[in-house]
Structure formats: structure tokens, C-alpha cells
Amino acid sequence: MGEIILKLKYDGTMPLECEVITPDTFEGKSKDEISALKVFRGPEELLLSDVFEISGDFTCSKENMVIKILGNAGNVKLIGYQMTAGKIIVEGDAGFHIGCEMKGGEIIVNGNAKHWAGREMEGGLLHIFGNAGDHVGSSYRGRWEGMLNGTIIVEGDAGYHVGDGLVNGKIIVKGNVGGFCGVKQNGGLIYVGGNAFRTLGVEMKGGTIVVCGKVMNFAPGFESAGIVRDFETDLTGYAIPNKLIVFKGDYAFYPKPKGKLYLSLSENSELLNDRMPAEERPIEFVGNALTVVLNTGSTIEEGKVIKGGKKYYPEYVKEAAYCEIHPDDYNLLGRPEKVKVISQDQRYSVVVYVKPSDDVLRRNAFIPRGVWANSIIDALSGSTGSPVYKGGIVYIEPSDDEVYHAEYIIDNIYKGESNGKSNI
């Protein structure tokens, strides 16, 4: 195979648009012709030779061509744009949109890749040996269809919106992924070797997502469909947990969705709902505290109090300073009058009254949205503009401490003073 070397000499901070760097574009061109190809720095037009020192074999076909980029190309965008054949090796980091709309061939990044790697990819292989930014294999802004085919492998972590709008193909992330992985997915396969954060598979209509680690802030539109030890999928050579919980969805958006999530049972046992046999619903205590999934939301009675201007009145305590849990969990805790609810990072806690309720699933808890719930809700919004009001992990334990009224919480806890840091 013939090799063309591009040694980066550009050291500016403004990104360059270099969609001409493909075997398709280089095929049949001499060194002078390749050197004269146009690239852009904002509105400014440059020559490829202004950016790279160019050398190598210029006689091979695109199928037999290897383009090797030497240097940190983190500010070089659109490498491999719409390429159909051949190979590109980036010996360092790669910029935005590497491999976007790629139809064939192979791209190897021996470093990290910035956002939009493999955007709307149609074929070929994109292999990133470092971390990747947001929107790996996703659709572009305003479009619904993302990656159509091909394979993307990320050896490290990836950011938000992995596989956004995925139609077909395979995305492998061996590390962790950010929020909205598989959002609007309609087909294909996403494998996550680590953890997944917030709203995994939301608006999913079809396809498969496998997560070997912890799923945080699980979306409410999925129904569990049992526990499996194995399943048919093209993941030969990748680690799969011995037991997986199967979920179908997203029923919050579609009446008959075909999306499937396969989640590690050992890492996500708290997501099992009441349809599962009791012996398959593990109970996890941390010290004296039971681990539960917290959901919050407004209630009609709470709304009446707030709209009536009685936020600092006893009525507000009655309608918002309580925690509903399943009767079985209430019995596990010793049937207390009050519980301390502790945030997942154990930095904050709040004491509320407890109410057993058959309307709440086992290992779940509900607190009306208000100052008590807000004391322990994670403020991280993940660029959504909304904190994690639903699906977060908290710990609850019996307590004899006082249930503070709203004015005290606002004047003290909201200003950074916790009403009792946990020792669990």
C-alpha cells in the first residue's frame, strides 16, 4: 500500500476545515496538485501545503492508499469526510467531525477525538484509541437520522449523545458515556463497557444498547422484561456481564417500541420493578440506610399550598415534607415515623416524615418537589437546564431528628449548611 505523509506545521488556535483529506480526493493527483488543495481557516482560504508538509507515494489508488497525519491535529476538522475507501491514520488527536458521512475505508486515531466523530457515518471503521467528545455517531443539528451503518470503536470514554438517532451499525465505547446515549435510536447496536449517565435510550424506538456498568438517572419510559444470562448480538470478544436485566421502551414516547436495553444486574439491581420475583430484587443497605431510587414531582395539594402563599406555614410541611416508600421497605426500616434521606454523594441530607404506599415500587421513594427534596437533588443538569428530579440514587434511614420547616431550610441549608452530614 502507498503512504502519503502529512506532517502538521500549523500551530494556530483557530480550527481548520480540511475535508479534502481523504483517499478519494488524493487519488490520481500529483504532489503539487495535492499541495494546492484548498482548506479554510474561518473565511480565509489556505492551501493544504500551508498547513502540512506533504510527502510520500502519490501513485496508488484510493483503495491502496494510507494517509498518515503526524502531529496534534486537534484543530483539524473534517478529516475523512465522505471517504469511501483506503485508510487514514492520525498519530495524535483529531478535531471535530472526523469520519463524518464516511462510507467506507478505515480511520485510526491514536489519540483523542473531539465532538461529532463519525457523524452520520454510512460505512467503514472509525477506531479511536483515546477518548471521544459528544455526538459520536450521531445526527447533526435539526436532523433525525444519525449513523446509518459501519462501526465506531472508542477505547476510552465518550461524551453526551452517543448514537443520537442511530439507524444501523455498531458503536463500541469501552469506557463511560455521558447523558442521552442512544437518544432517538431506531436501530443498530451501542455497547458501553463502563457507566452511562442520565436518560439512557430516551425516545428510543428500536435497536439495542448494552451497558456493563452502572446506569445513573434511568429514564422512566422503560419496562423490565426479565433477566437473561445471554442473548444474540454481534459482540464477540467484548466482556458481557453474566446476568443482565432486559428493558423494553421507550414507552413514554411510543405505544409499541422495539428498543431493548441490556443492563448489568449486579450494577443496576435497584432498577428491578415489582413485576420481578421477590428473590430477584436485591436489598442493599449502606450502614443503616436503604438504597433507593428517588423520584420527585409536584402534587395537587402541594400546589394549592404554594399558590396560596403558605410556603412558610405548617400546611407546607404537611404536604411536602414527607417520603413515600413501599410497605415492604417501610418494614425493612423498622416502621419509623421519620427518615433521613441522604444524597448519593453523602454530602447532603434532609429529615422528612415517612408514608408507606403501595403506589411506590419497592426500592423506590417519592418526595414532593419542594425545599425538602431540593436539599438533596443533584444540581448537575447535564446541559439540559433541569436538575435530576427523577431517577437519582439516595439512601434512607430511620431518624429521630427534627423535620425542619421551609424557612429554616432556605435560610440555612440552601446557604450551604447541611442539617446533618451522613456518616454512612
Side-chain angles (χ1 to χ4, degrees):
M1 299 183 76
E3 191 172 81
I4 297 177
I5 306 295
L6 303 181
K7 186 176 180 181
L8 188 66
K9 57 184 181 181
Y10 175 77
D11 60 358
T13 57
M14 182 177 288
L16 302 168
E17 297 193 10
C18 298
E19 64 264 37
V20 296
I21 302 178
T22 70
D24 302 76
T25 305
F26 285 8
E27 184 182 40
K29 291 182 174 63
S30 66
K31 178 181 178 179
D32 289 341
E33 289 173 320
I34 292 174
S35 298
L37 291 171
K38 295 177 182 179
V39 299
F40 292 88
R41 179 174 57 189
E44 182 184 4
E45 186 177 289
L46 302 173
L47 301 180
L48 190 63
S49 58
D50 294 331
V51 179
F52 295 96
E53 294 178 7
I54 304 169
S55 61
D57 179 2
F58 304 97
T59 62
C60 57
S61 66
K62 62 182 180 181
E63 290 81 7
N64 295 313
M65 185 184 299
V66 178
I67 300 174
K68 184 174 287 188
I69 300 174
L70 306 180
N72 183 357
N75 280 327
V76 180
K77 298 166 59 178
L78 294 162
I79 296 170
Y81 174 66
Q82 292 186 345
M83 68 180 281
T84 65
K87 188 173 185 177
I88 297 175
I89 302 173
V90 182
E91 296 290 3
D93 294 343
F96 289 81
H97 301 281
I98 186 165
C100 73
E101 299 183 36
M102 178 180 178
K103 296 174 173 59
E106 181 180 358
I107 299 177
I108 295 175
V109 180
N110 289 316
N112 301 320
K114 290 187 176 179
H115 308 314
W116 305 102
R119 169 179 64 81
E120 297 171 344
M121 187 171 166
E122 298 180 27
L125 170 65
L126 171 58
H127 197 159
I128 300 165
F129 280 86
N131 300 320
D134 300 336
H135 301 284
V136 172
S138 74
S139 59
Y140 201 51
R141 304 289 191 196
R143 299 176 185 170
W144 286 93
E145 289 190 343
M147 182 174 170
L148 298 176
N149 218 325
T151 300
I152 299 175
I153 302 173
V154 180
E155 297 288 339
D157 299 333
Y160 280 67
H161 287 264
V162 171
D164 183 336
L166 179 65
V167 176
N168 202 358
K170 183 164 58 178
I171 300 176
I172 305 292
V173 180
K174 294 186 179 180
N176 304 319
V177 296
F180 299 94
C181 175
V183 61
K184 304 195 303 283
Q185 184 176 346
N186 197 32
L189 170 67
I190 299 175
Y191 169 91
V192 180
N195 303 323
F197 172 70
R198 194 171 187 181
T199 51
L200 176 75
V202 70
E203 295 188 51
M204 187 180 186
K205 191 175 184 180
T208 301
I209 302 176
V210 179
V211 180
C212 300
K214 185 79 173 176
V215 176
M216 292 164 277
N217 313 124
F218 192 57
F222 289 86
E223 292 186 357
S224 58
I227 297 173
V228 298
R229 292 183 179 272
D230 53 52
F231 61 101
E232 292 186 10
T233 187
D234 184 19
L235 284 172
T236 303
Y238 294 97
I240 302 291
N242 292 329
K243 288 186 178 182
L244 301 113
I245 315 171
V246 185
F247 289 91
K248 295 181 179 179
D250 185 352
Y251 286 98
F253 290 88
Y254 302 103
K256 296 181 179 180
K258 296 181 180 180
K260 288 187 177 181
L261 308 179
Y262 292 88
L263 312 182
S264 168
L265 172 62
S266 63
E267 295 288 340
N268 301 284
S269 59
E270 75 280 356
L271 298 180
L272 291 171
N273 67 24
D274 275 17
R275 299 183 184 186
M276 309 303 296
E279 64 272 12
E280 293 185 353
R281 289 195 299 270
I283 300 168
E284 181 182 347
F285 275 90
V286 179
N288 295 322
L290 180 66
T291 304
V292 299
V293 177
L294 175 65
N295 291 298
T296 70
S298 299
T299 67
I300 294 175
E301 296 304 320
E302 178 208 6
K304 288 180 181 178
V305 173
I306 294 176
K307 297 298 183 183
K310 297 183 178 181
K311 201 168 192 176
Y312 290 162
Y313 285 65
E315 291 93 331
Y316 191 40
V317 176
K318 177 184 176 182
E319 298 300 339
Y322 67 85
C323 172
E324 288 188 350
I325 57 176
H326 191 276
D328 287 357
D329 294 337
Y330 179 63
N331 291 330
L332 284 172
L333 292 171
R335 304 172 66 85
E337 177 189 3
K338 296 175 287 186
V339 291
K340 179 184 287 186
V341 185
I342 305 160
S343 63
Q344 186 173 14
D345 61 9
Q346 301 178 25
R347 293 178 59 199
Y348 305 103
S349 63
V350 68
V351 176
V352 293
Y353 296 103
V354 62
K355 295 181 180 181
S357 172
D358 288 317
D359 293 332
V360 180
L361 298 176
R362 293 172 178 85
R363 267 49 102 208
N364 280 253
F366 172 79
I367 301 178
R369 188 176 299 176
V371 296
W372 293 270
N374 288 343
S375 298
I376 53 172
I377 291 295
D378 190 345
L380 180 65
S381 69
S383 301
T384 66
S386 176
V388 184
Y389 287 119
K390 293 177 171 60
I393 299 296
V394 297
Y395 311 102
I396 55 175
E397 64 183 13
S399 178
D400 293 324
D401 293 342
E402 180 182 355
V403 176
Y404 292 121
H405 53 79
E407 186 174 9
Y408 179 89
I409 292 176
I410 292 171
D411 288 343
N412 293 275
I413 299 175
Y414 278 18
K415 293 179 180 179
E417 297 178 18
S418 173
N419 65 328
K421 186 174 180 180
S422 170
N423 292 318
I424 66 171

